[in-house]
Amino acid sequence: MAEIERESMDYDVVIVGAGPAGLSAAIRLKQLDADLDVVVLEKGSEVGAHILSGAVLDPCGLDALIPNWKEKGAPLNTPVTKDNFYILGEEGKLRVPNFPMPPLMNNHGNYIVSMGNVCRWMAEQAEELGVEVFPGMACSELIYEGDRVKGVVAGEFGKNPDGTPGDGYEPGMVLNGKYVFLSEGVRGSLAKEVIGKYGLAEGHEPQKFGLGMKEIWEIDPAKHREGTVTHTMGWPLGGNAGGGSFIYHLENNQVYVGFVVHLNYKNPHLFPYMEFQRFKHHPMVAELLEGGKRVAYGARAISEGGYQSMPKMVAPGVALLGCSVGMVNVPRIKGNHNAMLSGKAAAEAAFEAIKAGREGDELSAYEDEVRGGAIGKDLKKVRNVKPMWSKWGLWPSLGLGGLDMWTNNLFGFSLFGTLKHGKNDADATGLAADYPAIDYPKPDGKLSFDRLTNVSFSMTNHEESQPCHLTLKDPSVPIQFTLPKYSEPAQRYCPAGVYEVVEKDGTPEFVINFQNCVHCKTCDIKDPPQNIHWTVPQGGDGPNYPNM
């Protein structure tokens, strides 16, 4: 096929992803120099369409970026008024008192928010400063010049299923930058390429992940407690997997009901989505939701490796921001504040470089600020909580993790040093023959729902005539290797029902229903042979989250 000819445009900084990190970088660049040319490219149909987070927001990142955010009308409308933490059994619950918890676990001063709406507001602030924000523009490949990242290809549309140009093919454009910022969120395809090409993960622990699933419910006003934050651990996961839940009461009689499963679970028969649905039948949760209605659903992966898993963040011409690095504080279940601070730090490093006449080099000042500044300090205090949980289970990690956070908070050191994570989440998966199958109750259609019904509440859509964006390195592997060894867990770990094994003429066949994909990236992370590769579909496709 002849080489594709594309028009190109030049910018000072090209930013991939209109999440909190990318938008913070764009805003800060224009605050520093209104004449800088800055563009933000977002694959969702609009800013916020692909944003899914808990979310209780620590406003420290917003305070640093836009100190007068209240006057500017930022959608932080629900301050946290009450914190609850429970350990669940199948029928009962044990309240964990707040007083023994380290101060960093206190949500006083934080806000229950829709991060999608926060990002929509941030995009408005960026555009008022002169940033060009283009939604519906998926960035499908990187452009290199010698050893440096020079730009990206964005806005390619109209390919046939086999990848050849269709009748209405649009080749997209090349957008070049003195620096390119990748703020794609967890496990972004371009960040994954950069980390691999430049060996950025070498010398660091493997990144660890969780799968977060979330529903928005409208509940009986008599049961609504605006500003209340509840977290749980224990049932239904028990010893099968780490994880827990969140229930946040925001305004308008709505609650966010979410469930996180750590993806280092061993039993390949585990069905994370059905664990979430089962959780809602716990008496505490069922009583809250009874008489209400679910109005939205979504899912995404969460980076959980923390301090020791952050790869090198810079390579020639490119910097990784926010969840592309992995900046979630796991015990706090918060990362948006660090994403914002990372965007601000990257912008300041790029501004100084451009002012000095540089371009295409490594922004080492950005990495130094992340590791040595507020982000590094936030993550270093809690660095051992996740590996403790993985190695020793729930109860020991609660006690020892709490002790470790206290010593870090009071004295700045850990009795345990820095613990290692060990295997990545794909390698942690055990053989199907070594673990029992798990019998899950059928969804009742009132509190619990089947996957395909719930996916319809994510407003997900993909143009069916395009190439499948979920590619297999070897198409024979799912049936010939993963099915007999692991009972093909893609059928279960995907929270959107993308993957199926069906019988065709008496022979099992692996089916990919890419139209269902909510872009969570779990398949790219958890597939035991690492045979599934997630790439971007054409711009505007995927979920259309309203208030996630």
Side-chain angles (χ1 to χ4, degrees):
M1 188 173 73
E3 185 175 344
I4 298 171
E5 293 186 8
R6 297 184 172 99
E7 295 182 12
S8 65
M9 294 183 67
D10 295 332
Y11 290 87
D12 290 303
V13 181
V14 174
I15 302 172
V16 180
L23 290 169
S24 295
I27 290 167
R28 186 60 180 149
L29 283 163
K30 295 297 274 190
Q31 288 174 339
L32 291 166
D33 186 347
D35 293 327
L36 286 173
D37 291 322
V38 181
V39 63
V40 178
L41 304 164
E42 165 57 40
K43 67 181 171 69
S45 60
E46 63 170 351
V47 173
H50 291 177
I51 298 293
L52 186 146
S53 186
V56 171
L57 178 65
D58 181 340
C60 66
L62 208 51
D63 289 339
L65 185 70
I66 307 174
N68 61 337
W69 54 264
K70 286 185 180 179
E71 290 80 2
K72 284 181 166 288
L76 280 67
N77 304 320
T78 309
V80 175
T81 58
K82 187 175 182 180
D83 254 332
N84 298 313
F85 187 79
Y86 293 98
I87 305 294
L88 298 185
E90 187 166 357
E91 295 295 332
K93 61 184 185 290
L94 172 67
R95 172 79 187 271
V96 178
N98 292 351
F99 70 84
M101 296 187 184
L104 62 89
M105 298 296 288
N106 187 347
N107 276 310
H108 179 74
N110 299 330
Y111 294 81
I112 300 170
V113 302
S114 157
M115 278 311 297
N117 290 338
V118 170
C119 288
R120 290 178 179 100
W121 176 82
M122 291 179 70
E124 292 173 1
Q125 309 310 303
E127 289 180 317
E128 287 177 9
L129 293 169
V131 176
E132 296 180 33
V133 180
F134 295 129
M137 293 285 280
C139 297
S140 51
E141 61 181 280
L142 293 165
I143 300 297
Y144 296 94
E145 182 181 79
D147 191 43
R148 68 171 281 197
V149 174
K150 175 71 173 176
V152 297
V153 174
E156 191 174 22
F157 290 91
K159 283 185 175 181
N160 293 318
D162 64 359
T164 58
D167 292 338
Y169 177 70
E170 298 177 25
M173 294 187 65
V174 172
L175 293 97
N176 295 313
K178 294 174 182 175
Y179 296 97
V180 175
F181 291 172
L182 299 181
S183 52
E184 303 169 286
V186 173
R187 196 73 164 199
S189 52
L190 300 185
K192 182 180 172 183
E193 178 181 330
V194 165
I195 290 169
K197 178 179 174 65
Y198 294 99
L200 302 186
E202 293 174 7
H204 303 276
E205 284 294 291
Q207 187 58 265
K208 307 294 285 184
F209 298 92
L211 170 60
M213 296 157 285
K214 176 180 173 182
E215 295 171 356
I216 304 178
W217 280 72
E218 291 179 358
I219 65 168
D220 181 347
K223 302 175 183 177
H224 189 252
R225 302 289 182 267
E226 186 170 316
T228 297
V229 164
T230 299
H231 293 109
T232 78
M233 301 166 70
W235 190 87
L237 291 172
N240 286 327
S245 83
F246 59 86
I247 302 173
Y248 302 155
H249 291 243
L250 62 159
E251 65 264 42
N252 301 322
N253 298 316
Q254 290 192 333
V255 293
Y256 294 148
V257 182
F259 199 80
V260 177
V261 177
H262 299 172
L263 288 177
N264 61 352
Y265 62 82
K266 297 178 181 178
N267 185 345
H269 301 293
L270 188 85
F271 198 156
Y273 175 84
M274 290 306 298
E275 297 285 349
F276 175 30
Q277 298 308 302
R278 186 161 61 158
F279 158 76
K280 290 181 290 177
H281 287 272
H282 188 276
M284 182 185 80
V285 187
E287 191 279 329
L288 175 69
L289 300 181
E290 186 179 2
K293 64 176 182 178
R294 162 223 43 191
V295 296
Y297 166 76
R300 62 161 288 184
I302 305 164
S303 58
E304 295 185 338
Y307 183 79
Q308 53 269 63
S309 294
M310 291 193 297
K312 184 179 178 183
M313 302 165 208
V314 294
V318 65
L320 309 182
L321 278 55
C323 281
S324 292
V325 175
M327 299 181 180
V328 172
N329 183 314
V330 171
R332 294 187 73 199
I333 322 177
K334 290 178 182 64
N336 289 304
H337 63 297
N338 285 336
M340 292 179 181
L341 292 172
S342 77
K344 179 175 178 288
E348 290 167 353
F351 165 72
E352 293 295 339
I354 293 169
K355 187 172 71 171
R358 293 159 41 207
E359 67 172 276
D361 59 343
E362 294 190 1
L363 292 172
S364 56
Y366 161 61
E367 178 140 7
D368 292 343
E369 170 59 27
V370 169
R371 295 193 187 276
I375 297 171
K377 291 173 183 174
D378 182 52
L379 297 179
K380 191 172 183 179
K381 292 176 183 177
V382 301
R383 66 191 182 278
N384 290 326
V385 173
K386 169 69 175 177
M388 283 178 175
W389 197 343
S390 300
K391 294 174 189 294
W392 301 327
L394 174 58
W395 290 104
S397 69
L398 275 177
L400 295 174
L403 172 65
D404 193 54
M405 286 189 284
W406 267 113
T407 60
N408 274 285
N409 191 68
L410 293 174
F411 310 115
F413 76 91
S414 169
L415 298 169
F416 302 91
T418 299
L419 299 177
K420 295 186 176 182
H421 290 302
K423 296 177 180 178
N424 67 36
D425 292 333
D427 289 342
T429 313
L431 299 177
D434 294 339
Y435 294 90
I438 303 173
D439 184 29
Y440 290 97
K442 185 177 180 181
D444 68 356
K446 296 176 182 178
L447 291 178
S448 50
F449 312 97
D450 66 83
R451 277 185 297 186
L452 295 186
T453 299
N454 238 358
V455 168
S456 71
F457 281 78
S458 69
M459 279 64 80
T460 294
N461 184 59
H462 292 84
E463 169 57 53
E464 295 188 18
S465 64
Q466 67 182 302
C468 176
H469 65 280
L470 302 156
T471 63
L472 301 177
K473 297 174 185 175
D474 183 343
S476 70
V477 164
I479 298 302
Q480 295 185 9
F481 178 81
T482 320
L483 181 62
K485 291 196 72 171
Y486 301 97
S487 189
E488 190 42 89
Q491 302 173 89
R492 293 174 292 280
Y493 60 59
C494 173
V498 169
Y499 302 99
E500 293 181 282
V501 175
V502 300
E503 289 285 331
K504 188 173 182 180
D505 299 327
T507 303
E509 183 176 314
F510 190 63
V511 176
I512 303 176
N513 304 301
F514 75 87
Q515 297 90 343
N516 296 353
C517 179
V518 294
H519 298 197
C520 73
K521 324 288 179 59
T522 302
C523 55
D524 197 296
I525 296 162
K526 186 60 175 171
D527 183 43
Q530 290 289 270
N531 188 53
I532 301 173
H533 178 53
W534 191 96
T535 62
V536 291
Q538 65 185 26
D541 287 2
N544 285 280
Y545 295 136
N547 300 302
M548 289 292 196

